[in-house]
């Protein structure tokens, strides 16, 4: 068996930390070469958990300093993911919550999060979608060691780059993002603003985030995560069990009214095609970068890792009925009962108040970035190389000596993102900015891709051109604690198949100040 340095790092064997490995990180290699089948449970036994809202703490000194403050302790916890109450699953969790608590944030109001690492391994917290100073971006090498803490500052800028939208935070530690996220380190961060209120979309308890994940369980309910090169562990880790908001194939009782759902594919490797069992439309209203110009009703919606789509489902005419949110993107070895059904909506609650929400025909203006303004085109090819995953045939340089792009704030650039083929899909994410998709293989982007995005899926062999007007690096507090490493203007871009990312399909950027 070939064991790479990265695999050893994952196991902690190079850091001498092996003895202290927690159960939750005991990644397993199975002698017979087959991963276990998870214990089987009928779908729709558990109610959909709604992740708890995060609770503010007092600002330092107890005086309002214009920001909202939060404390998070990353630690191990037991989660009830499976319907059998005897089976508890050990997870690595933010404040003990899997998924993490939801941040409810107002545009223009900064948020300061103190993260304490009480886990026995390194972490780094990326707020995916945020426009932040590099020192708060959760660079994979800007780690929090066990027992240490770090303060992250999120300005939530009062401009269009941080308008109302669905962001999420997750672990981003170098080489071990896949296992860290798999074991529980991910949660929602929702930005609200006045324009959103004017739209009169379903709100409050009729506005529900859904994180879709797949997991594999041992017979005792513990998570199974493969190591070494077994089971394609660097091709992407798939589970045989669907978990939504931390519960196996849950159900949700709803009222006969409209609901807004914010769907995140939080899986390591799995992609989904969402479809309602009665073929009712999902009316897409937003992507990663917030609202589209106009709603786009679709009967099915493909979603890849780290993408977010918001849509409205109208249950008004469905009182008394149940409909299933299905996944029709099955792999050859997927069990349709376990993987083809994500969750069920039971329209069994009485209408608690008249439904005054609406689906506006116009959401907001999206101004195209003119291609003529582009200063240059960068070309990146994403492909398998030497058993690992490369960008332009190069692996992420952990010394940071090689920088793959030095874009300048204010400049317009075209990035031509090419899937080098070989049967793989790559969802590509660029930190700091939002982009617009110019074309897919020379043709127009998909109808629901016409907004602002920061993650784009490259199907096999596809080339997607995106256009970026580079943001300024927001002001950040001085490096804290000052340990000599400054990530001020350093960001990464990478494939969001977490195993591809960990096996080095990631590039380094250094954003240059505006001319
Ligand atoms: Cu969600 Cu760099 O990642
Ligand atoms: Cu990101
Ligand atoms: Cu990939």
């Amino acid at each position: 068996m070939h064991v790479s340095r990265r695999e050893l790092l994952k196991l902690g064997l190079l850091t001498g930390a092996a003895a202290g490995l927690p159960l939750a990180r005991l990644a397993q290699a199975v002698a017979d070469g087959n991963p276990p089948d998870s214990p089987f449970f009928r779908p729709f036994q558990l109610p959909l958990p709604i992740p708890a809202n995060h609770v503010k703490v007092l600002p330092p000194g107890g005086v309002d300093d214009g920001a909202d403050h939060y404390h998070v302790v990353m630690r191990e916890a037991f989660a009830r993911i499976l319907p059998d109450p005897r089976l508890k699953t050990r997870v690595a969790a933010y404040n003990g919550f899997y998924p993490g608590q939801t941040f409810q944030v107002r545009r223009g109001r900064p948020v300061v999060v103190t993260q304490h690492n009480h886990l026995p391994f390194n972490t780094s917290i990326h707020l995916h979608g945020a426009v932040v100073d590099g020192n708060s971006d959760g660079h994979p090498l800007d780690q929090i060691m066990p027992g240490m803490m770090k303060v992250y500052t999120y300005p939530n800028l009062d401009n269009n780059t941080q308008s109302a939208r669905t962001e999420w935070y997750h672990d981003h530690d170098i080489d071990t993002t896949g296992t860290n996220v798999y074991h529980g380190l991910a949660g929602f961060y929702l930005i609200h603003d006045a324009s959103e209120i004017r739209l009169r979309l379903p709100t409050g308890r009729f506005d529900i985030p859904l994180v879709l994940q797949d997991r594999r369980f041992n017979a005792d309910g513990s998570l199974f995560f493969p190591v070494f090169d077994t089971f394609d562990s660097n091709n992407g880790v798939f589970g045989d069990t669907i978990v939504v908001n931390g519960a196996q194939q849950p159900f949700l009782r709803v009222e006969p009214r409209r609901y807004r759902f914010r769907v995140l594919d939080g899986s390591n490797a799995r992609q989904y095609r969402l479809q309602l069992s009665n073929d009712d439309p999902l009316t897409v209203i937003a992507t990663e970068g917030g609202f589209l110009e106009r709603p786009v009703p679709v009967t099915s919606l493909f979603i890849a890792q780290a993408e977010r789509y918001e849509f409205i489902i109208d249950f008004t005419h469905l009182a008394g009925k149940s409909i299933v949110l299905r996944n029709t993107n099955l792999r050859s070895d997927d069990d349709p009962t376990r993987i083809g059904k994500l969750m069920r909506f039971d329209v069994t609650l009485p209408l608690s108040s008249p439904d005054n929400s609406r689906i506006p025909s116009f959401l907001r203006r999206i101004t195209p970035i003119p291609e003529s303004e582009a200063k240059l085109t960068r070309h990146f090819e994403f492909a398998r190389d030497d058993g690992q995953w490369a960008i332009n045939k190069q692996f992420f340089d952990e010394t940071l000596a090689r920088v793959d792009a030095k874009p300048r704030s204010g400049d317009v650039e075209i990035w031509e993102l090419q899937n080098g083929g070989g049967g793989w899909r790559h969802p590509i994410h660029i930190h700091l900015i939002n982009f617009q998709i110019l074309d897919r293989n020379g043709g127009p982007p998909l109808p629901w891709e016409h907004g602002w995005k920061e993650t784009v899926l490259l199907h096999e062999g596809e080339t997607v051109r995106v256009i970026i007007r580079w943001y300024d690096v927001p002001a950040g507090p001085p490096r804290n604690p000052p340990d000599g490493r400054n990530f001020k203007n350093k960001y990464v871009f990478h494939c969001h198949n977490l195993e591809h990312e960990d096996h080095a399909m990631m590039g380094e950027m250094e954003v240059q100040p505006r001319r």
Side-chain angles (χ1 to χ4, degrees):
M1 180 160 28
H2 165 75
V3 182
S4 71
R5 181 179 153 271
R6 282 169 190 281
E7 304 291 0
L8 291 171
L9 272 170
K10 265 191 198 173
L11 286 173
L13 298 181
L14 289 188
T15 61
L21 266 189
L23 257 184
R25 286 295 297 278
L26 271 186
Q28 299 141 29
V30 169
D32 68 4
N34 283 315
D37 282 337
S38 298
F40 176 79
F41 296 101
R42 275 182 302 106
F44 321 132
Q45 298 190 58
L46 288 171
L48 175 79
I50 308 291
N53 284 342
H54 217 310
V55 183
K56 291 173 211 170
V57 296
L58 282 178
V63 191
D64 185 358
D65 58 356
D68 290 336
H69 293 259
Y70 296 90
H71 279 256
V72 178
V73 177
M74 292 174 277
R75 58 178 174 85
E76 291 189 10
F78 284 94
R80 173 130 187 245
I81 302 173
L82 301 171
D84 183 338
R86 290 165 304 179
L87 299 185
K88 294 263 174 55
T89 305
R90 195 162 184 175
V91 293
Y94 296 111
N95 279 345
F97 289 88
Y98 165 63
Q101 290 154 299
T102 300
F103 289 86
Q104 302 279 0
V105 171
R106 262 194 301 135
R107 165 174 162 178
R109 173 97 180 161
V111 160
V112 179
V113 184
T114 307
Q115 289 274 5
H116 301 263
N117 185 3
H118 290 189
L119 291 163
F121 49 85
N122 294 344
T123 61
S124 176
I125 298 95
H126 176 51
L127 179 53
H128 183 131
V131 182
V132 302
D133 157 59
N135 282 317
S136 285
D137 194 53
H139 191 287
L141 292 164
D142 192 6
Q143 297 155 305
I144 313 177
M145 314 288 173
M148 306 300 278
M149 54 93 110
K150 178 174 160 66
V151 179
Y152 292 80
T153 303
Y154 305 133
N156 305 311
L157 301 172
D158 193 8
N159 63 38
N160 211 23
T161 69
Q162 296 281 261
S163 55
R165 64 189 59 199
T166 301
E167 298 185 344
W168 64 302
Y169 59 102
H170 63 78
D171 193 76
H172 214 312
D173 183 50
I174 188 79
D175 293 337
T176 63
T177 294
T179 176
N180 291 0
V181 171
Y182 185 92
H183 285 95
L185 293 174
F188 282 103
Y189 185 102
L190 310 180
I191 303 183
H192 302 284
D193 69 12
S195 70
E196 174 188 35
I197 294 166
R198 281 194 295 273
L199 292 174
R200 289 195 8 234
L201 299 162
T203 179
R205 65 183 195 280
F206 312 118
D207 172 2
I208 297 177
L210 300 173
V211 50
L212 310 177
Q213 297 177 316
D214 58 334
R215 296 289 184 263
R216 191 179 289 274
F217 298 89
N218 298 304
D220 64 357
S222 60
L223 285 166
F224 174 87
F225 191 85
V227 286
F228 301 125
D229 295 332
T230 54
F231 328 123
D232 291 338
S233 64
N234 39 346
N235 292 342
V237 170
F238 288 88
D240 61 356
T241 303
I242 295 293
V243 175
V244 182
N245 289 0
Q248 178 239 331
Q249 294 173 293
F251 67 87
L252 176 68
R253 293 204 174 94
V254 295
E255 299 183 15
R257 64 193 305 148
R258 285 180 283 273
Y259 280 70
R260 173 182 181 181
F261 293 99
R262 306 161 180 263
V263 178
L264 157 68
D265 179 352
S267 313
N268 286 37
R270 187 175 288 281
Q271 299 160 355
Y272 305 83
R273 182 178 291 281
L274 310 177
Q275 197 164 350
L276 290 173
S277 55
N278 64 354
D279 283 324
D280 265 11
L282 308 167
T283 302
V284 183
I285 55 169
T287 55
E288 298 95 71
F291 295 114
L292 295 167
E293 196 158 85
R294 295 171 189 284
V296 180
V298 296
T299 46
S300 76
L301 182 64
F302 201 93
I303 185 166
Q305 303 95 301
E307 281 188 308
R308 284 90 72 207
Y309 286 107
E310 299 185 25
F311 50 73
I312 309 283
I313 300 180
D314 191 347
F315 299 109
T316 307
H317 57 293
L318 293 171
K321 302 226 166 65
S322 288
I323 54 174
V324 173
L325 180 63
R326 295 166 54 210
N327 163 34
T328 58
N329 180 43
L330 297 187
R331 292 156 48 84
S332 57
D333 54 350
D334 284 338
D335 174 344
T337 307
R338 291 181 186 240
I339 299 293
K341 299 170 179 179
L342 301 173
M343 63 176 292
R344 192 179 68 196
F345 301 105
D346 298 333
V347 195
T348 51
L349 293 177
L351 197 60
S352 59
S353 61
D355 185 359
N356 293 322
S357 74
R358 50 177 197 148
I359 306 180
S361 60
F362 180 83
L363 296 160
R364 64 161 172 176
R365 181 71 61 212
I366 307 274
T367 311
I369 305 174
E371 218 179 304
S372 59
E373 283 186 30
K375 287 228 162 47
L376 59 86
T377 297
R378 296 183 198 271
H379 179 90
F380 294 108
E381 188 206 45
F382 298 81
R384 193 174 172 85
D385 197 64
D386 193 22
Q388 299 208 76
W389 299 97
I391 305 176
N392 288 349
K393 303 208 181 313
Q394 291 188 296
F395 302 122
F396 185 68
D397 175 6
E398 296 187 10
T399 69
L400 299 187
R402 191 189 80 239
V403 177
D404 301 285
K406 292 187 176 174
R408 186 174 291 282
S409 301
D411 280 6
V412 174
E413 297 187 351
I414 293 169
W415 283 33
E416 189 173 62
L417 309 171
Q418 184 191 350
N419 182 335
W424 303 95
R425 298 192 190 111
H426 304 292
I428 305 305
H429 170 49
I430 307 174
H431 283 216
L432 180 68
I433 51 89
N434 285 178
F435 51 70
Q436 293 175 348
I437 301 178
L438 288 173
D439 41 50
R440 276 190 175 275
N441 299 315
L446 301 165
W448 49 92
E449 288 181 332
H450 279 284
W452 292 102
K453 290 189 47 83
E454 26 83 330
T455 304
V456 63
L457 178 61
L458 310 180
H459 286 274
E460 191 186 347
E462 272 190 326
T463 299
V464 173
R465 288 194 318 144
V466 305
I467 190 162
I468 307 161
R469 190 189 306 277
W470 280 90
Y471 297 176
D472 294 293
V473 172
R479 178 86 184 135
N480 180 15
D483 63 359
R485 289 195 98 162
N486 196 341
F487 293 87
K488 173 76 195 153
N489 60 341
K490 297 189 199 307
Y491 301 89
V492 292
F493 65 102
H494 56 88
C495 178
H496 222 290
N497 176 314
L498 298 182
E499 282 66 46
H500 296 188
E501 173 185 335
D502 283 339
H503 293 83
M505 191 179 259
M506 181 156 69
E508 175 74 4
M509 308 189 285
E510 253 177 43
V511 180
Q512 308 300 306
R514 196 176 275 268
R515 247 182 272 275

